[in-house]
Amino acid sequence: FTHLRVLALDLRPEVRNCAVKSLTSALLSHGRKIGKPCYQRCLRDILIEVMIELQNASIHARNGGQRSASAKAPGMLVHHSRDTPEKQWNETVVLAVEGVRRVLSHFSDEAGVQPFAPLAYRVLLEMKATLGSLNSDLAGAALRALVDLMRIPASSQLVAASVLDEVPDPSG
């Protein structure tokens, strides 16, 4: 999983997108086999962190930091909707947000409310920051993730506030 985390931040959009999809698929397929504590660590320390790092890379690209191998290789046609590094990073962020939503939803069925709540709360805080994005694709993916997280049965159960106190707030 850690190798896929590194590849998810590669400068080449094709590699990033494939790594995010593979990481999501691997956690969905093999999460039950690795046990709840390991599954929780993979979600917290790998998948959610990848989403955060991708959001930061997207912001860096938006602010003019050229964080891409190249917008297009010689002789390669790139659709106008993905012709800048910022748009390519945003595409990867959307994949990561959707992946986190899917895996977190699956994890809630397996783990129950206690391990699920801090992860869901952290994702909710990150989605709040993403909703402020200037990009409609990112805001749309974040909004869909929020709606889906609210529909998960574990999110309607009570949890002690002390469980959520350990979750860092990205807004400071």
Side-chain angles (χ1 to χ4, degrees):
F1 292 117
T2 55
H3 294 298
L4 287 172
R5 179 182 178 173
V6 171
L7 290 175
L9 297 168
D10 195 275
L11 295 178
R12 298 164 292 181
E14 306 84 9
V15 174
R16 282 196 311 267
N17 294 346
C18 184
V20 168
K21 289 177 183 179
S22 297
L23 186 56
T24 300
S25 295
L27 284 170
L28 287 171
S29 299
H30 305 293
R32 289 185 175 125
K33 297 173 188 164
I34 61 176
K36 289 180 195 174
C38 187
Y39 197 23
Q40 186 176 13
R41 278 194 313 274
C42 286
L43 263 167
R44 182 188 62 230
D45 299 338
I46 297 177
L47 193 59
I48 293 173
E49 285 300 318
V50 162
M51 180 185 69
I52 294 166
E53 291 167 357
L54 287 169
Q55 288 173 332
N56 291 337
S58 176
I59 291 167
H60 182 69
R62 181 183 328 138
N63 294 336
Q66 186 77 8
R67 197 142 192 276
S68 178
S70 67
K72 51 184 167 176
M76 180 94 135
L77 294 176
V78 177
H79 192 269
H80 69 86
S81 66
R82 299 292 178 240
D83 62 354
T84 66
E86 177 190 359
K87 291 176 183 178
Q88 293 169 356
W89 280 103
N90 286 344
E91 180 181 18
T92 308
V93 173
V94 168
L95 290 173
V97 167
E98 290 173 355
V100 166
R101 177 195 53 81
R102 288 177 56 212
V103 173
L104 199 54
S105 176
H106 187 264
F107 178 73
S108 73
D109 295 339
E110 297 295 316
V113 70
Q114 289 296 49
F116 167 77
L119 296 171
Y121 185 62
R122 183 162 182 207
V123 170
L124 289 173
L125 292 174
E126 290 300 328
M127 292 303 109
K128 181 179 86 171
T130 303
L131 283 172
S133 168
L134 299 175
N135 183 286
S136 63
D137 290 340
L138 289 178
L143 192 56
R144 282 189 302 277
L146 283 174
V147 169
D148 285 349
L149 283 176
M150 300 309 269
R151 289 182 180 160
I152 295 172
S155 38
S156 64
Q157 297 178 15
L158 294 177
V159 67
S162 61
V163 172
L164 303 178
D165 287 341
E166 299 174 9
V167 178
D169 187 348
S171 62

